[in-house]
Amino acid sequence: MDNPGFPIESCTLSTCSLLNGQVRYQPNLGGNIFYIAIFSLAIFLQVLFGSWYRTWGYLVGLFCGLVLEIVGYAARVQMHYNPFTKGPFVMYLVALTIGPTFFTASIYLCLARIIVVYGEGNARFKPRTYAIFFIASDIISLVLQATGGAKASGADTYDTKQSGIHIMVAGLALQVISLVIFTTLCADLIYSVRKSPRSKDPRFQSIKSSHTFKLFLYCLGSSTLLILIRSSFRVAELSEGFGSDLANNEVTFMVLEGGMIAAAVILLTALHPGLVFGSQGWKDAGWTISGKPLISVVSRHEEPEKATGRAH
């Protein structure tokens, strides 16, 4: 039954109504454990692939995001047994809100290398420019989401809570805008490559012409779209506040949050860039702070050795 005068932190499922809970439903135990299992398997595979192929930047992004996903769904498992305490609610809210930001950072690193493979002449900007711009946007989005989530979940007044929610929404909206711009620039790159490809570097020819590379591009694009759908949903959900019907609809949350992110992670793991580029290809397609592809820097260091007739 409803117990408005009873301390919420002291509530249990047998003494208080779910209307007094942090969410107005008892989180499904099986569904949340299922997502924990998917993300746990993915983090194992990401560490394995990342270490083997030395795709360190990609690994860091996926690893951090997956840890947050696991923490978030573990908190929801706790909420299954007690949806009234604030601790697990704050943990789930912040972790699952900011987690996908790390996945998009890994995707942005992939785009920079894809540009090198196809040739910088096909892109509007240098690979470094894409990576720095979108990762900087990710960092700002991350800070806004984390700050807003902490402020809203720990608020003692309605105004403070609403202020926190607005900050979270601003961070998520920035992520949506960044993903839309990113998608637009990717489409522009595809158009340029198909219209008049400008890449003659033989080192990437085998990668560029492989069916695995093409499948990798489709998976990367699909993952981006899935995260965009998820982020758009979270903007709509949080814009209405924690007490809205949308924020308390578990089925919608499990599909448009959990389902979208799980599908994106599966694609980002199944077609891991290491399987496509190999460790050397991933390194060669990298870029330096100066804005020049890493491969050109390596080549300049090799030229004096070739001139003296040293074997490689």
Side-chain angles (χ1 to χ4, degrees), residues 5 9 23 25 37 52 74 83 138 161 201 212 241 259:
E9 291 290 323
V23 291
Y25 60 83
W52 183 262
D138 251 13
K161 178 181 288 187
D201 194 330
T212 307

Side-chain angles (χ1 to χ4, degrees), residues 56-208:
W56 304 121
Y58 187 84
L59 172 60
V60 169
L62 265 295
F63 184 86
C64 292
L66 286 167
V67 167
L68 288 168
E69 293 294 322
I70 292 169
V71 168
Y73 285 102
R76 285 179 62 83
V77 169
Q78 290 181 269
M79 290 175 65
H80 169 81
Y81 296 104
N82 188 350
F84 304 100
T85 55
K86 183 172 287 187
F89 172 73
V90 174
M91 192 184 304
Y92 124 74
L93 177 68
V94 175
L96 294 190
T97 300
I98 69 177
T101 306
F102 291 94
F103 301 147
T104 54
S106 291
I107 291 174
Y108 299 150
L109 290 177
C110 288
L111 175 64
R113 284 169 168 81
I114 291 168
I115 290 171
V116 174
V117 168
Y118 276 123
E120 292 185 39
N122 294 294
R124 298 282 179 182
F125 309 102
K126 296 285 187 181
R128 179 192 64 164
T129 304
Y130 284 95
I132 291 177
F133 174 81
F134 286 112
I135 290 177
S137 174
D138 251 13
I139 292 172
I140 296 172
S141 174
L142 177 67
V143 170
L144 288 172
Q145 291 176 52
T147 303
K151 183 176 182 179
S153 56
D156 294 323
T157 65
Y158 175 80
D159 288 341
T160 303
K161 178 181 288 187
Q162 288 302 112
S163 175
I165 291 174
H166 291 156
I167 294 172
M168 286 182 72
V169 171
L172 285 164
L174 176 60
Q175 187 177 42
V176 170
I177 293 169
S178 295
L179 285 168
V180 170
I181 295 173
F182 175 78
T183 304
T184 303
L185 289 173
C186 286
D188 179 66
L189 175 65
I190 293 170
Y191 174 76
S192 179
V193 168
R194 290 184 174 179
K195 182 180 179 182
S196 55
R198 293 182 284 273
S199 175
K200 299 179 181 179
D201 194 330
R203 304 195 193 202
F204 300 117
Q205 189 56 44
S206 60
I207 294 176
K208 187 170 59 174

Side-chain angles (χ1 to χ4, degrees), residues 211-232:
H211 293 297
T212 307
F213 181 68
K214 293 179 176 60
L215 188 57
F216 167 71
L217 296 179
Y218 283 120
C219 286
L220 206 64
S222 298
S223 298
T224 303
L225 179 60
L226 289 166
I227 296 174
L228 177 59
I229 292 171
R230 170 266 173 191
S231 298
S232 299

Side-chain angles (χ1 to χ4, degrees), residues 261-279:
I261 296 303
V265 165
I266 289 171
L267 292 175
L268 292 172
T269 304
L271 265 295
H272 188 279
L275 299 172
V276 180
F277 289 85
S279 58

Side-chain angles (χ1 to χ4, degrees), residues 30-60:
N32 287 288
I33 290 177
F34 175 71
Y35 284 139
I36 291 174
I38 289 178
F39 296 130
S40 297
L41 176 59
I43 204 170
F44 170 77
L45 293 174
Q46 286 292 339
V47 170
L48 183 66
F49 289 148
S51 301
W52 183 262
Y53 293 110
R54 303 175 191 173
T55 53
W56 304 121
Y58 187 84
L59 172 60
V60 169

